[in-house]
């Protein structure tokens, strides 16, 4: 049981003020990090060099905070074309080891998706550019901004010479966008080492579902990737000579793909929904409170219309057999990732709700995410500790897309901000940092936790 530790008088105010006064410095650091083309998706040697440079910058930044840092060599990546590339190190960092304090571990990644200005960016994706109070650049919201948010929250305490109320650990990788190569192996290896003292894991690598209200994510959907191939022969046919007198593989393939969903997005594979957990009454009530503006959500996605009312190999084999095609079809599952669910009555979710209420003056939306962040399930299964997702970005931040951004200056209707005074906040402070007094692990034991819910200057 952790001993009570009430917050020192005025600590929040001093921390918020420090962040306000140093926000330009924080933006400059993000600018330096965005300038590193840490693309893990394209298997190119010079980009791997950039990844190594990015990880070194982060390791140095953590060392400057006084953290003990281990950059773990995870070997090489063997690519399908025979090429071998080094995997960037995974950072394991630690600040504090007081057994009387809870230990919070933050996960983040510093690699990014590819980006080229000619693909539709209004600015150079690797030059952080401010336009109308928004900071545009690849990695700003996914995930360099959130990593820096946590680091800067800690730096505020260090600069003010205030004792951190929790032990903080960081695990930061550089291959998330390429499938987190070597990460699970390291987590298993360090289960009884680095992670043995961890009480809670926080991930800030997803978004709110709108622009104006914060959210907590307690589940992800998981996914399954399948590959279907239809083969006629090993070389091409002349269309004029053979067209119309044989089964065209492309026609078979189109028919197979067209049999998977209907026009409303409903999956047509028999039995596919049989094992989907039904919505509970508790969830129905919770979802009614979600502030979701469908028009805003559609607009932020830049699509004209959303689809609603929505055993793969057996289904495709059945459809293919009905075509009486002379071609051969193969189906294989290339990737399968399990869904993840957390207990929203867990202490850290209760604490996070109090954090958001204190900083934003409102209760968070409780959401499940349609994307898949495999590390959440990996942490939950291997180290068997509480895992929470704390999104720090608005729905229109454009992760993985052109013109990715975070908001620097905004009103409260425009989502996470770098600097904004919230009149509803009991402290009247900027939406700067999820650092607050919470009751943990029981209503009578307040413990002051920093970084735990760090928005720092409210970045995703």
């Amino acid at each position: 049981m952790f001993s009570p530790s009430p917050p020192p008088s005025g600590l929040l105010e001093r921390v918020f003020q420090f962040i306000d006064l140093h926000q330009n410095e924080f933006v400059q650091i993000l600018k330096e990090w965005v300038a590193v083309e840490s693309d893990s998706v394209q298997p190119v040697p010079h980009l791997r060099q950039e990844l190594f440079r990015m990880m070194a910058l982060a390791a140095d930044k953590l060392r400057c905070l006084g953290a003990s840092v281990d950059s773990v060599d995870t070997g090489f990546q063997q690519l399908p074309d025979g090429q071998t590339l080094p995997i960037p190190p995974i950072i394991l960092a630690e600040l504090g080891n007081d057994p009387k304090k809870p230990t919070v571990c933050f996960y983040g990644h510093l690699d990014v998706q590819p980006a080229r200005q000619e693909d539709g960016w209004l600015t150079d994706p690797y030059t952080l550019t401010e336009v109308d109070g928004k900071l545009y650049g690849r990695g700003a919201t996914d995930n360099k901004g959130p990593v820096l948010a946590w680091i800067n929250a800690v730096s505020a305490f260090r600069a003010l010479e205030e004792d951190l109320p929790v032990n903080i650990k960081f695990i930061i990788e550089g291959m998330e966008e390429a499938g987190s190569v070597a990460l699970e192996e390291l987590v298993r290896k360090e289960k009884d080492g680095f992670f043995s003292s961890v009480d809670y894991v926080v991930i800030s690598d997803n978004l709110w579902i709108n622009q104006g209200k914060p959210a907590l994510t307690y589940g992800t959907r998981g996914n399954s990737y399948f590959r279907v191939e239809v083969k006629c022969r090993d070389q091409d046919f002349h269309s004029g000579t053979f067209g119309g007198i044989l089964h065209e593989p492309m026609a078979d393939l189109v028919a197979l793909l067209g049999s998977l969903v209907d026009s409303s997005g409903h999956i047509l594979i028999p039995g596919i929904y049989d094992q989907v957990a039904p919505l509970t009454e508790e969830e129905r009530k919770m979802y009614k409170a979600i502030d979701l503006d469908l028009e805003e959500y559609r607009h932020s996605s830049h699509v004209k219309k959303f689809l609603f009312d929505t055993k793969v190999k057996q289904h495709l084999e059945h459809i293919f057999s009905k075509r009486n095609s002379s071609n051969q079809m193969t189906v294989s599952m290339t990737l399968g990732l399990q869904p993840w669910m957390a207990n929203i009555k867990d202490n850290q979710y209760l604490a996070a709700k109090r954090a958001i209420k204190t900083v934003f003056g409102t209760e968070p939306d409780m959401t499940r995410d349609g994307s898949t962040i495999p590390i959440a399930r990996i942490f939950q299964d291997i180290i068997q500790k509480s895992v929470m997702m704390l999104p720090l970005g608005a729905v229109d931040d454009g992760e993985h897309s052109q013109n990715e951004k975070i908001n620097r200056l905004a009103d409260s209707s425009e989502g996470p901000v770098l600097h904004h005074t919230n009149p509803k906040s009991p402290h009247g402070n900027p939406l700067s940092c999820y650092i607050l007094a919470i009751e943990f692990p029981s209503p009578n034991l307040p413990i002051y936790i920093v970084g735990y819910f760090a928005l720092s200057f409210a970045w995703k």
Side-chain angles (χ1 to χ4, degrees):
M1 180 70 70
F2 303 118
S3 60
S5 179
S9 176
L11 178 57
L12 275 176
E13 285 74 12
R14 293 199 302 276
V15 171
F16 284 140
Q17 184 179 37
F18 177 89
I19 292 172
D20 277 350
L21 293 173
H22 293 82
Q23 61 171 286
N24 288 334
E25 297 173 26
F26 298 154
V27 172
Q28 180 59 35
I29 297 169
L30 179 60
K31 185 173 185 177
E32 293 169 4
W33 283 24
V34 166
V36 182
E37 195 174 351
S38 51
D39 173 357
S40 65
V41 178
Q42 301 183 79
V44 181
H46 86 270
L47 292 178
R48 285 302 167 94
Q49 293 174 4
E50 287 289 271
L51 278 165
F52 273 77
R53 184 161 73 94
M54 185 68 254
M55 302 309 291
L57 284 173
D60 288 344
K61 184 68 176 174
L62 288 165
R63 290 189 183 97
C64 288
L65 291 180
S68 61
V69 180
D70 185 9
S71 293
V72 182
D73 182 358
T74 53
F76 291 83
Q77 179 186 19
Q78 185 73 44
L79 301 172
D81 63 359
Q83 183 182 191
T84 300
L85 290 174
I87 302 172
I90 297 174
I91 295 173
L92 299 178
E94 182 174 0
L95 270 166
N97 57 3
D98 188 341
K100 295 180 180 179
K101 298 178 180 180
T103 297
V104 178
C105 180
F106 169 74
Y107 161 85
H109 69 89
L110 297 175
D111 58 317
V112 300
Q113 286 280 327
R116 301 185 306 171
Q117 189 165 355
E118 55 266 35
D119 289 337
W121 282 76
L122 300 178
T123 61
D124 177 3
Y126 295 103
T127 300
L128 192 70
T129 305
E130 183 171 359
V131 179
D132 297 331
K134 303 178 190 300
L135 299 171
Y136 291 88
R138 179 56 93 214
T141 199
D142 185 19
N143 188 230
K144 294 178 181 181
V147 173
L148 275 173
W150 280 76
I151 290 175
N152 290 326
V154 174
S155 74
F157 267 74
R158 308 296 277 186
L160 294 170
E161 298 183 347
E162 292 286 353
D163 184 37
L164 286 167
V166 293
N167 305 311
I168 294 184
K169 293 191 174 189
F170 292 84
I171 174 168
I172 303 174
E173 66 161 323
M175 291 294 287
E176 192 270 349
E177 303 290 3
S180 295
V181 180
L183 183 61
E184 181 175 355
E185 181 182 352
L186 180 64
V187 173
R188 292 185 182 279
K189 180 181 178 181
E190 292 291 340
K191 175 185 177 181
D192 298 321
F194 181 80
F195 294 106
S196 62
S197 61
V198 169
D199 298 296
Y200 306 101
V201 178
V202 183
I203 300 170
S204 297
D205 191 24
N206 59 317
L207 304 175
W208 303 353
I209 61 171
N210 58 39
Q211 298 180 38
K213 188 180 180 184
L216 289 172
T217 303
Y218 69 97
T220 56
R221 183 164 50 185
N223 60 38
S224 296
Y225 286 90
F226 286 84
R227 175 187 177 93
V228 56
E229 178 180 328
V230 178
K231 180 180 178 180
C232 182
R233 70 172 192 170
D234 292 331
Q235 63 189 74
D236 292 339
F237 283 114
H238 188 285
S239 61
T241 304
F242 294 97
I245 64 171
L246 50 72
H247 289 97
E248 169 56 52
M250 183 60 73
D252 286 340
L253 190 59
V254 170
L256 290 166
L257 297 180
S259 74
L260 295 174
V261 295
D262 63 17
S263 60
S264 69
H266 186 85
I267 301 174
L268 299 175
I269 301 170
I272 197 71
Y273 292 107
D274 291 353
Q275 296 186 26
V276 176
L279 198 63
T280 66
E281 190 59 34
E282 183 180 10
E283 286 178 313
R284 291 184 189 277
K285 293 178 181 178
M286 188 167 59
Y287 293 161
K288 285 182 179 180
I290 290 179
D291 184 11
L292 176 61
D293 185 327
L294 290 179
E295 183 61 24
E296 174 189 276
Y297 197 73
R298 182 198 62 77
H299 179 73
S300 69
S301 306
H302 304 288
V303 298
K304 294 181 179 180
K305 182 181 179 181
F306 278 140
L307 300 176
F308 293 97
D309 298 323
T310 78
K311 298 195 189 267
V312 173
K313 184 176 181 180
Q314 291 176 333
H315 170 75
L316 291 174
E317 288 173 342
H318 173 67
I319 297 297
F320 189 71
S321 67
K322 292 200 301 183
R323 293 182 59 78
N324 296 317
S325 174
S326 60
N327 298 320
Q328 295 92 43
M329 183 199 72
T330 58
V331 182
S332 59
M333 181 171 147
T334 60
L335 180 65
L337 297 171
Q338 293 287 333
W340 164 79
M341 278 277 286
N343 177 11
I344 61 173
K345 297 180 180 179
D346 179 89
N347 284 320
Q348 77 166 330
Y349 272 91
L350 298 177
K353 288 182 179 180
R354 286 191 286 268
I356 289 173
K357 180 70 173 180
T358 298
V359 176
F360 287 92
T362 186
E363 296 288 337
D365 288 332
M366 300 300 295
T367 66
R368 293 200 218 177
D369 203 310
S371 63
T372 301
I373 304 176
I375 189 61
R377 182 66 182 256
I378 291 173
F379 281 138
Q380 196 172 64
D381 288 348
I382 297 176
I383 68 175
Q384 299 181 347
K385 298 296 173 65
S386 170
V387 180
M388 181 181 71
M389 288 190 187
L390 175 68
L392 304 185
V395 67
D396 65 339
D397 275 3
E399 58 180 356
H400 289 201
S401 186
Q402 297 90 339
N403 306 309
E404 177 183 348
K405 60 85 180 170
I406 58 167
N407 297 335
R408 170 169 176 150
L409 297 171
D411 61 37
S412 61
S413 67
E414 292 190 354
V417 295
L418 174 64
H419 172 71
H420 171 67
T421 299
N422 178 4
K424 295 182 180 180
S425 170
H427 304 286
N429 285 303
L431 299 183
S432 299
C433 191
Y434 272 128
I435 305 172
L436 55 147
I438 68 166
E439 294 173 345
F440 173 85
S442 75
N444 298 318
L445 290 177
I447 292 183
Y448 215 15
I449 295 188
V450 58
Y452 193 174
F453 312 116
L455 269 182
S456 184
F457 30 91
W459 281 349
K460 156 79 173 54

